[in-house]
Each structure stands twice: as structure tokens, then as C-alpha cells.
Amino acid sequence: MQVLKFGGSSVANATNISRVLDIVTKAARRDRVALVCSAISGCTDSLLGLARTERGSAERQVMLESLKTRHLDIVRRLFTGVEREAVSEKIESLFGKLAAAPEDEMVTYGELFSTTIIAEKLRCEGFRTKWLDSRILVIKDNPTLTYNNISTAVALEPEVEVFVAPGFIASEYEGKVTTLGRGGSDFSAALYAAALKANRLEIWTDVPGIMTANPKVVPAARTIPEMPYQAALDMATHGAKVLYAPTVQPAMEAGIAIHILNTFEPENPGTVVSALPEPELGEWMGVTSTDDTLQGESLICLVSTGRINGEAACARVEDSLKKAGIKTLACSSDGTNIYATVRLAVAREALNAIHREFFEMAPRTTLNLYIAGKGAVGTALVDLIRNSGDRIAERTGKELRIEAASNDHSFASQVRSIAPRGSIFVDVTDSEDIWREYEGLLREGINIVSSNRRALAVPFVEYAAMHAAAQENGVFLRYETTVGSALPAVESIAAGANTGDELISIEAVVSCTLNRILSEYTLTPCTFAQIVRKAQAEGLTESDPRIDLSGREALRKLLILAREAGVPLEAEDVEIEPVIGPEYAGLTLEEFYSKLEADEPRFAALESAADAAHQRQRFVASLVKDPAGPHGYRAAIRVQNVDASHPAYRIKGTENAIIVRSAYHPYPLLIQGAGEGAILAASSVLNDILK
Ligand code: ASP
Ligand code: MG
């Protein structure tokens, strides 16, 4: 036996009733059916209205007539010939009884009308049908008697294929006709199912199952495929209209699964409510609300399937409401569900906000990271991801997964063969030759984020080939960290080029080491050599400080910026006036320092000349528009004396400044800020990963 229950909107008119008949016909092919129906939609409300009118009044007459017309109209559409006449007569006679019925019984007629029509129709379709009188069989608050009555009545009719019973109506133990409460047809169906030990209880309605919220209030609500009895009961008790709460218990006791299905979308599997094993930790099922119009408040209930951390969940609810600008008046938990009170006027927004937080978590993408280089930046990056991964995932929807981190020389080629497409190869080495792997990685569909400026300051053809590989394979090659660490220098210059800006000049004061050395030289009485030595001791220079002083680091940065601006600059195009000349090459480090010390008068003279002119020495890498230059630009790296009006005049320590003049930026674009530090660099690499 299977029990199928159809609600008011499923039987609202002849068209819908035809759908019901289709569904019942299919079900009857599987097994015997007990069909329980509501009154046609709006009918119960009309009957309650009717009962309030005065007997014999014109108003009552009008109401009766209009209700009768709706039903007779359905009959006219469903039947023809003698059958139409016979069924119409039955309905007419029921309306006659309704007119004479005591006011408190009027409400029980709606289900009589609907089930009479449907039972007759099924009989006409050829089913052996029997109409069951729920007023006799269903005894309110007496399940034992009810079950007995129903099972006996059905046992007497072994031939019947489809039983049809009105929902909602019953009688009291003493015999008086009554109802099971508004929405009570669901409950009737559960009683029939339990009495008949049905193997299936189907509640057919006008939504696709029990949803995570009322879809009329929360458009993003979605069907819950399966849920345990208790959660369904909690949702129904706290405002979910899709299921009448008392329905759950008889089904649960009898162990019958409740299928909530949509008459208008019969193929949708809807929701199955059954005895699921209780999970270790509760899972969020849905959010419902009941309105307290007197208090002007709405009680929101967030239902879970088992034990939850009530305190944490309350905090999350309150936080999601706060983000939506809604004040939580009260919030509590019973260890399974969360109850929050808000003002009635904001209930809709509140339900949507809570639903968003608990049921609309944006799908997360996982980024697989392969990190080359376990130096200071690599270590800081790994720490940063370990410590902030959860917060990052929450903010960006991106889950960072470190697949591997290595110092191994062959790491890049290993990654190329094992990493899935879409992974990110992170180069935080300062390897001279790792760039040879870049193109191959990009061609395998692996993205690259690099802080290794040596890898980008390669001959222009190689640089162009990497970019082409990235573009052709739909992957990215990002290296913001290579110039000015976390300062958005590369990005800003690329943005100008992308939008057709015409570059007039770039002045990049981007050598942390030289900025530090020159600014300190101005401020302290130490010799130039002493300051370089100190910078080296602090780890601020390359292992050989001559690399910094030669301007080679600045050259790499200038190449990167120029190319970003669309100028295919090569190292040979740049005129470099190093701080120290070629005579310093080939010396041991100690010989180098002694020579530098011996050169102090020259450094001192340059410094006092600048000072006398109220200027400061700055190590500037520049690219200036010049039609006579190699690509229409002149590129140079040298110490320049800048006066107080120059943006680089005031920079301190390892601070960087990049000054861009262009057609779009008549006042120079000034990018200035800290340019040094492992954590800063790691944050910039991370930013490239997340962009
Ligand atoms: N017809 C009744 C009502 O509207 C019972 C039901 O639909 O479940 O409340
Ligand atoms: Mg209903």
C-alpha cells in the first residue's frame, strides 16, 4: 500500500486534477493506493467565511453559489454525459447539506467536495475505487482507534485498487465531526499510512520538496534531498509551511519514509524524510521563521540535524545579520537548532542574510601551489598561507593548498610533469636560470607567480616568448614583487599601456640597498665604506655588495618596468653610471672595502656638493621619452641630485619611489612605500596568487 496526498493547489482546478490523476494512475500500476486530498485551494477559507455570515442572508447565498460554481465547473470539465449529470447531482446534494449544516461543521465540506469528484473520476477511468469516510474512521487524538478503523475498513475491500479519503476531517471520540487543524490533510495522510503500514507516503504539493528556506521569501532557497524526521519536524514546527508538523510523528513511529513531491514537476525527486543515522556533528538543514505580529517580531529558526556548537553558531548568525545591517534582538541555541529574534519588518532580509551565510557558501576553488625556493620569502609565504588560509578562503572563495615547496634544482621540471593544469608555480628563488623552465610550465597550463627578477630581466625575445606562452595557454605570469616589492608598480604601468596611455617617463628609485646607503650617508658621520659594510651585515645587500653598487639590480627592475610599458628595452640600451667603477672588479671583498675606504674623499665631495645645493643624492633608474633613443626612449641608471621638489627627495631607508609621467598623468603618478622585507614580499606574491 502507498499513501498519496495532494494539497489544495494540486486539486485547484480541472487541469491540475488531471495531473493528479496521471500521477495516481502511474502509482496504481505499482501498488494499491490510498489517496488523501485537501479541499480545492481557497475553499477552506471560503467555508470559514461562509460560517461567519448570517443564515439566510444574501451574502451567504452569494458565497455559497460562487463556491458551488467553482466545483460544478470542475465537474463539467472532467466529465461528460450521464456521468457529468450524476456527479453534478452529488455535488449539488452536498451543497444542500452544507447550507443546512451547523456553522462549526461547514469547514469540513471542502474535502468532501474534492474527494467526491476525484473518486468519481477514478471510477470512470476504470479503477476499482472506494471512497472512505474520514469522519468515521479518523478519531481525533486517538491513533489506536483510528488505525483500527482504517485497517479494518481497507481489509474489507481486498478488490479495491484506489481508496480515496478526505484529508483534514475527522470526528471526536464522542462522534462529533471535527478537523485536524489547518493544513491537517498531511496529518490525515500520515495516519492512513501508519494504519495501513504503507511502504511509502507521498505528500504532493506545489514546491519541489522541503527547501532550505521558503522560496517565496528567499529566492536562493534550494531543495533538501534528504533529511531526518526530527529536522523535518523542527522546520515544520518553526514555520516551514510545506509540511504540517503533526504529520511527522505517525510516519516516524511506523518507520515510513515521507516523500515531499511537486505535482507540477513530478520527475523532481523532492525531499525524502526518513530515519537517517544521527551524524557526529549536526549539518545545517534550513532556516524558517514564525511571525509574532503582536510583538512585531519574527522568530527565526536555523535547523540542524544534530549536535552543534551553539555559541559559535549564534555568533555566526549574529555576524551575518550585522553584515546585513540587522540587529539581533535575541539569539539562543538548544544544542541542535539556533533561534534568533529580529524585528518583523526586517525578517525577510534577515532570512536571506542567514541563508546566504549558511546555505549559499560560494563554491570554493582550490589553488594548488608549488613553491620553488625555501629562503626568507618562501618561508614567510608558507607561514602566511598556514596562518591566514582560512580567512583568505572565506574572503576570496579561494582555498590555497601547498602541494610542495622545494629548493631542489630540478623542482620546476618535476612540477611541469606532475602538476595538474591550472596549478600555480611560485618562484621565490633568485635563481639565474630557472626562467628556462617558465615557458614549458606555461605551455603545460601551469600559472606562474614570480618574485625572481632575474627570470624576467632576460633578453627581450625570451621575455616575449614567456608572455606568448601564457596567453596562448590561458594561464598567467605575474611578477609584481620583482619591482618595489609589494608596491603596485608593474600593475600600474601595465594598466597605462593596456589603456593606450603614452608614457613620458619613469623614474624608479627602487634599489633598497642604495636608497638605504645614500640616505644614511647623508644623515650619519660614517664613511661610505662603513655604511655599505653595515648594510651588508644587515643582509640588505647581495652577497657581494658590488652587484648593488654596479646598478645591476636596478637594471633588471628598469627592464621589467620598461617592457611592461611596451618598450622592448634590452640591457645594452641602458646607460649605467655605477657608483663604483670597473676598477673594483676582481678584488677580494676585503680589498674592495679598503679601496672603498680609500675613495672616501670622492664620496664625501659628491655628498657635500649635493648638500650645498640643498639637494640629495638618489640612485635613479630612468626611462625618458626621446625620439633619438633606441626605442623612442632614453634609459639611464645613475646617481642624481634631486631637490626638495622631487618626490624621491624625502624617501628614507629602504623606501622605494616610482614616478610615472604620461599623457594620462599630467601630474606624475607617484608610487611610494616600503620596498623591502620578506613578509612584505610574501604578501605581494600572495596577492599575485589571489588576483
Ligand atoms: N483544507 C485544509 C486547509 O486548508 C487542510 C489542508 O489543506 O491540508 O487547512
Ligand atoms: Mg495544505
Side-chain angles (χ1 to χ4, degrees):
M1 183 67 80
Q2 46 191 333
V3 175
L4 275 64
K5 179 265 172 180
F6 290 86
S9 49
S10 301
V11 295
N13 51 46
T15 314
N16 295 1
I17 292 176
S18 302
R19 293 175 180 275
V20 171
L21 295 169
D22 283 345
I23 294 166
V24 173
T25 303
K26 274 199 196 121
R29 273 191 221 125
R30 289 196 303 256
D31 194 3
R32 302 172 87 195
V33 173
L35 177 61
V36 176
C37 294
S38 297
I40 67 172
S41 67
C43 180
T44 305
D45 287 333
S46 300
L47 291 168
L48 288 168
L50 186 78
R52 286 191 295 267
T53 59
E54 204 178 311
R55 201 166 276 273
S57 68
E59 194 193 357
R60 174 170 284 196
Q61 205 48 43
V62 169
M63 287 174 91
L64 260 172
E65 283 306 321
S66 101
L67 203 53
K68 187 156 82 181
T69 308
R70 263 189 82 190
H71 284 92
L72 289 177
D73 197 49
I74 292 173
V75 173
R76 207 171 14 258
R77 283 169 198 266
L78 290 178
F79 301 88
T80 51
V82 285
E83 280 138 4
R84 182 190 282 174
E85 250 160 70
V87 182
S88 300
E89 246 165 62
K90 281 196 167 201
I91 295 297
E92 293 270 7
S93 108
L94 277 173
F95 268 90
K97 286 186 183 153
L98 167 64
E103 267 69 19
D104 63 344
E105 283 180 20
M106 288 184 157
V107 71
T108 64
Y109 277 74
E111 275 71 9
L112 299 179
F113 303 142
S114 64
T115 54
T116 300
I117 296 171
I118 289 165
E120 290 299 333
K121 181 66 188 173
L122 284 163
R123 190 169 293 135
C124 290
E125 300 279 302
F127 289 103
R128 288 188 295 277
T129 307
K130 169 88 183 161
W131 185 83
L132 296 175
D133 192 346
S134 303
R135 292 171 299 186
I136 296 169
L137 302 178
V138 181
I139 311 301
K140 197 170 183 173
D141 301 327
N142 198 329
T144 316
L145 195 50
T146 302
Y147 294 168
N148 245 321
N149 290 344
I150 294 171
S151 58
T152 313
V154 166
L156 287 173
E157 309 282 351
E159 299 297 308
V160 167
E161 294 163 293
V162 183
F163 293 93
V164 181
F168 185 51
I169 59 178
S171 61
E172 280 162 9
Y173 186 72
E174 297 76 19
K176 186 170 169 39
V177 176
T178 186
T179 75
L180 300 175
R182 292 308 305 267
S185 294
D186 292 348
F187 185 36
S188 309
L191 292 173
Y192 275 94
L196 299 172
K197 301 195 167 42
N199 48 37
R200 212 175 149 88
L201 168 58
E202 297 181 353
I203 306 278
W204 289 84
T205 176
D206 55 5
V207 288
I210 301 181
M211 302 181 77
T212 48
N214 180 351
K216 290 186 189 116
V217 179
V218 180
R222 52 185 162 70
T223 300
I224 305 164
E226 51 171 26
M227 65 194 306
Y229 290 115
Q230 187 59 47
L233 179 58
D234 288 349
M235 286 190 64
T237 309
H238 296 103
K241 302 223 173 45
V242 55
L243 187 67
Y244 184 49
T247 311
V248 178
Q249 205 189 353
M252 181 161 67
E253 281 171 3
I256 302 167
I258 311 173
H259 297 253
I260 319 280
L261 298 156
N262 184 357
T263 307
F264 306 95
E265 206 190 323
E267 301 308 322
N268 190 319
T271 302
V272 188
V273 181
S274 64
L276 296 172
E278 192 178 317
E280 186 103 10
L281 258 182
E283 196 191 318
W284 299 114
M285 281 288 111
V287 59
T288 60
S289 69
T290 38
D291 294 346
D292 182 341
T293 31
L294 267 175
Q295 295 290 322
E297 289 173 358
S298 181
L299 180 67
I300 294 176
C301 180
L302 176 64
V303 173
S304 93
T305 56
R307 294 215 58 76
I308 46 132
N309 178 344
E311 214 172 292
C314 274
R316 198 171 154 202
V317 165
E318 288 186 47
D319 203 53
S320 65
L321 290 174
K322 196 164 124 201
K323 271 191 240 157
I326 296 166
K327 185 177 154 85
T328 311
L329 302 176
C331 195
S332 65
S333 164
D334 58 10
T336 302
N337 303 330
I338 302 296
Y339 304 90
T341 313
V342 297
R343 280 192 310 111
L344 192 52
V346 294
R348 174 178 289 265
E349 286 76 9
L351 284 162
N352 276 284
I354 295 173
H355 192 270
R356 219 175 296 127
E357 172 66 27
F358 287 84
F359 302 100
E360 294 167 48
M361 293 280 275
R364 287 191 174 177
T365 29
T366 302
L367 303 180
N368 294 329
L369 306 181
Y370 294 84
I371 303 175
K374 293 166 88 174
V377 179
T379 309
L381 179 63
V382 170
D383 286 348
L384 198 56
I385 293 172
R386 295 243 160 88
N387 298 333
S388 321
D390 288 347
R391 194 185 48 84
I392 291 168
E394 208 169 289
R395 283 179 65 95
T396 65
K398 291 175 183 163
E399 201 113 42
L400 298 172
R401 189 191 298 149
I402 301 174
E403 292 287 349
S406 171
N407 266 336
D408 195 351
H409 211 72
S410 59
F411 184 58
S413 66
Q414 286 165 17
V415 170
R416 191 178 63 187
S417 54
I418 58 160
R421 297 186 83 80
S423 300
I424 303 177
F425 179 76
V426 182
D427 178 6
V428 283
T429 69
D430 51 15
S431 158
E432 291 274 4
D433 51 15
I434 196 168
W435 65 270
R436 295 183 192 281
E437 298 287 343
Y438 276 22
E439 199 182 325
L441 286 162
L442 296 164
R443 294 220 178 271
E444 283 303 312
I446 298 163
N447 303 287
I448 298 177
V449 170
S450 180
S451 68
N452 177 9
R453 64 184 70 90
R454 287 175 168 81
L456 276 305
V458 289
F460 185 77
V461 276
E462 307 289 357
Y463 167 95
M466 288 176 198
H467 278 274
Q471 210 169 40
E472 285 159 20
N473 292 280
V475 288
F476 56 74
L477 167 60
R478 295 175 186 153
Y479 41 87
E480 183 58 79
T481 319
T482 55
V483 184
S485 192
L487 296 179
V490 174
E491 186 184 278
S492 303
I493 288 174
N498 291 344
T499 54
D501 196 1
E502 193 203 7
L503 183 74
I504 296 166
S505 70
I506 299 174
E507 288 171 275
V509 188
V510 285
S511 168
C512 292
T513 319
L514 277 156
N515 289 352
R516 167 64 177 276
I517 292 169
L518 291 173
S519 64
E520 203 163 318
Y521 192 50
T522 314
L523 297 172
T524 64
C526 300
T527 65
F528 196 78
Q530 284 167 333
I531 288 170
V532 174
R533 215 186 261 278
K534 193 167 151 239
Q536 188 188 10
E538 285 171 21
L540 268 176
T541 64
E542 297 288 314
S543 53
D544 185 339
R546 277 169 287 191
I547 299 177
D548 297 290
L549 299 176
S550 70
R552 239 177 296 163
E553 277 297 286
L555 171 63
R556 295 189 178 111
K557 294 174 187 175
L558 186 62
L559 289 178
I560 293 169
L561 292 182
R563 291 166 180 185
E564 221 51 35
V567 180
L569 199 68
E570 296 283 11
E572 318 64 279
D573 300 330
V574 185
E575 205 183 297
I576 307 179
E577 266 176 45
V579 175
I580 51 166
E583 65 279 14
Y584 281 82
L587 303 177
T588 66
L589 209 54
E590 268 323 302
E591 288 166 349
F592 155 71
Y593 274 120
S594 345
K595 188 162 174 50
L596 207 57
E597 198 66 75
D599 242 359
E600 179 60 19
R602 184 168 69 89
F603 293 118
L606 290 169
E607 178 61 28
S608 46
D611 202 42
H614 302 291
Q615 290 179 325
R616 284 178 186 167
Q617 299 191 84
R618 292 290 178 252
F619 196 59
V620 185
S622 63
L623 182 75
V624 181
K625 201 168 152 54
D626 178 355
H631 310 280
Y633 287 87
R634 198 165 16 87
I637 295 174
R638 65 166 70 89
V639 175
Q640 283 180 19
N641 291 349
V642 299
D643 60 33
S645 68
H646 195 280
Y649 182 86
R650 256 168 252 285
I651 62 169
K652 288 195 217 69
T654 57
E655 208 176 351
N656 281 192
I658 298 114
I659 301 126
V660 184
R661 288 185 176 79
S662 71
Y664 293 171
H665 289 286
Y667 303 105
L669 168 67
L670 173 61
I671 304 161
Q672 181 188 338
E676 197 267 341
I679 296 172
L680 189 68
S683 77
S684 171
V685 168
L686 187 53
N687 189 40
D688 269 352
I689 292 171
L690 294 170
K691 256 179 208 161

